Amino acid sequence: MLVPVFTLKLSHKLQPRTVALGRFDGAHPCLAAATQAGKVLVHSPHAPGPRTGGSRAAPSSQDAHVSLLSINQAVTCLAAGPLRAGLQRDCLLVGTRTHLLAYDVHLNSDLFYREVSDGANAIVLGKLGDIPAPLAIIGGNCALQGFDYEGNDLFWTVTGDNVRSLALVSSLLVGSEDFDIRVFKEDEIVAEMSETETVTALSPMYGSRFGYALSNGTVGVYDRTSRYWRIKSKNHAMSIHAFDLNSDGVCELITGWSNGKVDARSDRTGEVIFKDNFASSIAGVVEGDYRMDGSTQLICCSVDGEVRGYLPAGEEMKGNLMDTCAEQDMIRELSQKKQNLLLELRNYEENAKAELSPQLKEADGWRGVIPANTQLQTSLSVNLGSDSQSAHVELCISTTNDTIIRAVLIFAEGIFEGESHVVHPGLQNLSGCVRVPLTPPKDVPVDLHIKAFVGYRNSTQFYVFELTRQLPRFSMYALSSPDSAVEPLSFVSCATNERPQRIVMWLNQSFLLPEDAEFQSAPFQVCFTSLRNAGQLLIKIKPGGEVDEHHSVNQRLTADMADHSNLIRVMLVQAEDARLLGDMKNMKTRYVELYDLNRDLINQYKIRCNNHTELLSNLKAVNQAIQRAGRLRVGKPKAQVIAACRDAIRSNNFNTLFKIMRSGVASS
């Protein structure tokens, strides 16, 4: 059994997903984590803490090896690593909702402190594309930014929704709140993978493989754009990390859970090879030579401040990292198989008796064996709904004879809550056909894994039919007549080298079309109505060869608050002077003025908070509009449009921004 090689207790509560390890003096590993009190803790067991005399770091009164950095804001993300080429020591990156701090822990000084209007929800350090300098890449409100060690903004692009996780492999991986994992080659999206929930964590493993975690408790592994495996838990994955724990030369996926469990899973199968439990939720999982003995340990931290380090397994473990015996596991597995086979055998025997018994004939309404030619058929169609039911896609499951369907179990990603749905008709409603309404929230193809219990009305044993049916990408669009449709004002046109017959094939594969739908040779047009909002989609085939205002308000409010803060300091000194001189009347007057000024300051702060919320909402809309404008182009024109839009925003030239979105260039 694998046991911790060291355990220590930090006297502070840690914030989840904000743990990092770095060599801030270039030699000694230190653990950094955000506390729940708005500070950053630096644990330095082998080296002296940050130099005294700086404005941020101060030694902790509870632990001689701990220093606390004052951030004065809620920390949203944290990372450590080399940011300046040639500098041997790591720097600490701290992200908040409005700023990014690059901090030199060893010198106890700021490298830079930048305001980021899109916020910093996730951060990663490394080299990106052809940019020579290492970058601190942050993901915020639909935007990605990269800063060098001087705080220069060398990289900026937009993405589909609020960023929640980042990772650097050969490309930049971005996980966002719209359930997508996007792969960026510099500022160009080269691949997208859709998931079922918000992507909360990403971790590079080796080669082209990476691990991911979702907010609904799912963790898994991708190889490029193909998912290798995934598992789902009722608990939430707080942190994931790649580490070779069983010394087989291949990294396992280490997951820290909200219930305090830590487990290691095979990158190939997802099988658990090691697990341990903490008393509280896991805050983060990192790796490093924390004992400075030449070996790398897996370091797990809980929110209560407990830290444990694990060494990779040695030869004596022989791959058995848990407190179990291989022989006992084999006996347990064989016993389970035996029970399943005995149950199956008993069912066959009872069915055989039922067929031979004269009392249990078909006239009595009971059969044990269904006909050998029984088949399960499925069909998908568009249901326009009624007064009592909204429009939806209808899945019809039926048998080919007089058997009935007792129950249906459907597994599908992103359609049902919990990713599964059970239909169990009452005894009076049993029939050979079951209809299931489906309302996919996004336009992505979904595999429906169907299991149906088939038998007779009074059967006690049922046959289980299993099949898979794919829901087309645009199944929530119903074919309508072009004559009655109002042509949309917005459109996009493009030239394609595909033959019209190929486009017709794509339409049949991507939409749910009636069987009698026919298309003429080009030119022709097809009209669809969205089942979600009744919007019109018209496809024509032809033959052929506010943000600025919120920024200014925010700056004015910030200046006013700074003036009020200075005035409060002056009044406080005057009131204390009056108190020391015994001038009670003047003291009372100053404190009344101080009370009124403080109340005004609080009201201005509330106004600033509301303004900031509206600003973020508008910035999100602008970034999404830029992304849509970029996705209308391919290759170099796409990158040029995004860069030109960025320059227009920097110069507050919104007329030029609209012109760039429409035409692709700033000049007419």
Side-chain angles (χ1 to χ4, degrees), residues 570-591:
V570 174
M571 284 188 176
L572 189 59
V573 171
Q574 291 176 349
E576 285 299 298
D577 289 344
R579 183 182 65 84
L580 293 175
L581 294 173
D583 187 357
M584 293 298 123
K585 181 180 179 181
N586 201 9
M587 181 194 76
K588 184 178 179 180
T589 302
R590 291 287 177 260
Y591 272 119

Side-chain angles (χ1 to χ4, degrees), residues 546-604:
E546 210 175 319
V547 173
D548 186 37
E549 180 183 351
H550 284 295
H551 267 302
S552 60
V553 171
N554 187 55
Q555 292 172 358
R556 188 173 65 252
L557 288 173
T558 302
D560 290 344
M561 290 178 68
D563 292 339
H564 280 81
S565 298
N566 293 330
L567 195 56
I568 284 175
R569 293 192 189 97
V570 174
M571 284 188 176
L572 189 59
V573 171
Q574 291 176 349
E576 285 299 298
D577 289 344
R579 183 182 65 84
L580 293 175
L581 294 173
D583 187 357
M584 293 298 123
K585 181 180 179 181
N586 201 9
M587 181 194 76
K588 184 178 179 180
T589 302
R590 291 287 177 260
Y591 272 119
V592 169
E593 293 175 354
L594 193 62
Y595 174 80
D596 294 337
L597 191 60
N598 185 63
R599 184 180 56 196
D600 294 342
L601 193 61
I602 292 174
N603 291 333
Q604 285 190 2

Side-chain angles (χ1 to χ4, degrees), residues 31 128 149 158 177 233 265 305 369 375 385 392 399 432 480 549 564 628 636 640 643 656:
L31 192 66
L128 180 65
Y149 73 97
V158 291
E177 290 182 355
S233 170
R265 296 179 180 271
V369 180
Q375 294 180 352
H392 59 272
T399 60
S480 57
E549 180 183 351
H564 280 81
R628 288 193 290 269
K636 188 176 180 181
Q640 290 174 343
T656 302

Side-chain angles (χ1 to χ4, degrees), residues 454-570:
V454 177
Y456 285 93
R457 184 173 296 272
N458 295 324
S459 295
T460 56
Q461 286 89 33
F462 295 89
Y463 283 80
V464 179
F465 285 81
E466 298 186 27
L467 53 90
T468 299
R469 180 70 186 263
Q470 188 177 69
L471 196 64
R473 179 182 295 273
F474 303 112
S475 57
M476 288 293 286
Y477 294 83
L479 185 66
S480 57
S481 172
D483 300 331
S484 59
V486 178
E487 187 168 338
L489 297 177
S490 57
F491 67 92
V492 59
S493 62
C494 60
T496 176
N497 295 325
E498 297 290 348
R499 293 177 289 111
Q501 292 83 355
R502 296 276 296 175
I503 297 176
V504 171
M505 288 177 58
W506 173 80
L507 288 171
N508 280 284
Q509 292 172 356
S510 302
F511 295 85
L512 287 176
L513 301 177
E515 294 181 357
D516 57 352
E518 295 183 357
F519 299 101
Q520 303 172 353
S521 58
F524 66 87
Q525 64 180 10
V526 189
C527 184
F528 295 94
T529 302
S530 172
L531 302 185
R532 299 187 183 98
N533 56 14
Q536 298 292 321
L537 171 66
L538 193 63
I539 301 176
K540 293 183 178 181
I541 309 298
K542 299 179 180 179
E546 210 175 319
V547 173
D548 186 37
E549 180 183 351
H550 284 295
H551 267 302
S552 60
V553 171
N554 187 55
Q555 292 172 358
R556 188 173 65 252
L557 288 173
T558 302
D560 290 344
M561 290 178 68
D563 292 339
H564 280 81
S565 298
N566 293 330
L567 195 56
I568 284 175
R569 293 192 189 97
V570 174

Side-chain angles (χ1 to χ4, degrees), residues 282-322:
I282 301 301
V285 180
V286 294
E287 68 173 87
D289 183 10
Y290 212 54
R291 299 195 303 172
M292 296 199 67
D293 58 359
S295 57
T296 302
Q297 300 98 40
L298 176 71
I299 303 169
C300 304
C301 309
S302 74
V303 295
D304 283 344
E306 184 180 1
V307 181
R308 298 180 191 173
Y310 303 87
L311 277 175
E315 289 293 330
E316 67 279 0
M317 293 285 184
K318 296 182 179 178
N320 186 24
L321 306 185
M322 293 189 289

Side-chain angles (χ1 to χ4, degrees), residues 14 48 50 55 138 152 165 208 258 280 322 331 425 495 541 622:
L14 305 185
S55 59
I138 61 169
N152 298 318
S165 53
S208 57
S258 59
S280 60
M322 293 189 289
I331 292 173
I541 309 298
V622 170

Side-chain angles (χ1 to χ4, degrees), residues 51-317:
R51 295 181 181 178
T52 59
S55 59
R56 293 190 183 273
S60 171
S61 60
Q62 300 172 341
D63 192 333
H65 297 299
V66 172
S67 300
L68 295 175
L69 310 182
S70 297
I71 305 299
N72 299 323
Q73 294 185 64
V75 178
T76 56
C77 56
L78 188 143
L83 188 57
R84 182 175 183 177
L87 189 65
Q88 298 301 318
R89 58 180 182 268
D90 295 338
C91 74
L92 181 65
L93 277 298
V94 182
T96 68
R97 292 186 180 92
T98 56
H99 289 83
L100 173 66
L101 168 66
Y103 186 71
D104 190 326
V105 176
H106 181 62
L107 298 180
N108 192 11
S109 63
D110 295 357
L111 292 177
F112 64 82
Y113 185 63
R114 285 291 304 268
E115 181 178 1
V116 283
S117 56
D118 294 314
N121 300 328
I123 188 168
V124 66
L125 276 78
K127 289 192 175 182
L128 180 65
D130 296 329
I131 302 174
L135 296 180
I137 303 170
I138 61 169
N141 187 16
C142 301
L144 299 168
Q145 286 180 272
F147 299 93
D148 64 4
Y149 73 97
E150 293 180 337
N152 298 318
D153 186 356
L154 300 184
F155 171 75
W156 184 88
T157 189
V158 291
T159 185
D161 206 336
N162 293 335
V163 178
R164 287 298 169 195
S165 53
L166 294 171
L168 272 173
V169 284
S170 56
S171 305
L172 177 64
L173 304 176
V174 180
S176 53
E177 290 182 355
D178 61 355
F179 309 166
D180 282 347
I181 302 174
R182 295 179 175 85
V183 184
F184 281 81
K185 223 45 164 175
E186 292 193 8
D187 56 357
E188 181 180 356
I189 298 176
V190 296
E192 288 185 76
M193 293 81 78
S194 292
E195 279 297 331
T196 58
E197 261 296 343
T198 300
V199 185
T200 57
L202 294 167
S203 175
M205 299 191 70
Y206 65 92
S208 57
R209 291 191 187 181
F210 63 91
Y212 73 96
L214 308 181
S215 60
N216 63 357
T218 299
V219 296
V221 169
Y222 270 91
D223 189 355
R224 293 185 173 88
T225 58
S226 301
R227 186 195 295 135
Y228 250 42
W229 59 264
R230 66 168 185 153
I231 62 99
K232 188 176 181 182
S233 170
K234 63 182 180 181
N235 302 299
H236 300 291
M238 307 306 292
S239 178
I240 59 174
H241 189 75
F243 187 78
D244 184 11
L245 199 59
N246 59 359
S247 301
D248 63 348
V250 178
C251 289
E252 286 75 48
L253 183 65
I254 315 297
T255 308
W257 298 90
S258 59
N259 65 342
K261 185 177 73 171
V262 175
D263 61 32
R265 296 179 180 271
S266 167
D267 73 303
R268 293 176 288 272
T269 64
E271 177 188 1
V272 177
I273 64 171
F274 167 76
K275 60 183 177 181
D276 200 358
N277 288 284
F278 285 68
S280 60
S281 172
I282 301 301
V285 180
V286 294
E287 68 173 87
D289 183 10
Y290 212 54
R291 299 195 303 172
M292 296 199 67
D293 58 359
S295 57
T296 302
Q297 300 98 40
L298 176 71
I299 303 169
C300 304
C301 309
S302 74
V303 295
D304 283 344
E306 184 180 1
V307 181
R308 298 180 191 173
Y310 303 87
L311 277 175
E315 289 293 330
E316 67 279 0
M317 293 285 184

Side-chain angles (χ1 to χ4, degrees), residues 379 381 383 394-397 408 421 423 431 433-437:
S379 64
S381 60
N383 189 320
E394 190 170 79
L395 170 65
C396 179
I397 306 170
V408 175
H421 182 66
V423 179
S431 67
C433 179
V434 172
R435 299 181 184 274
V436 183

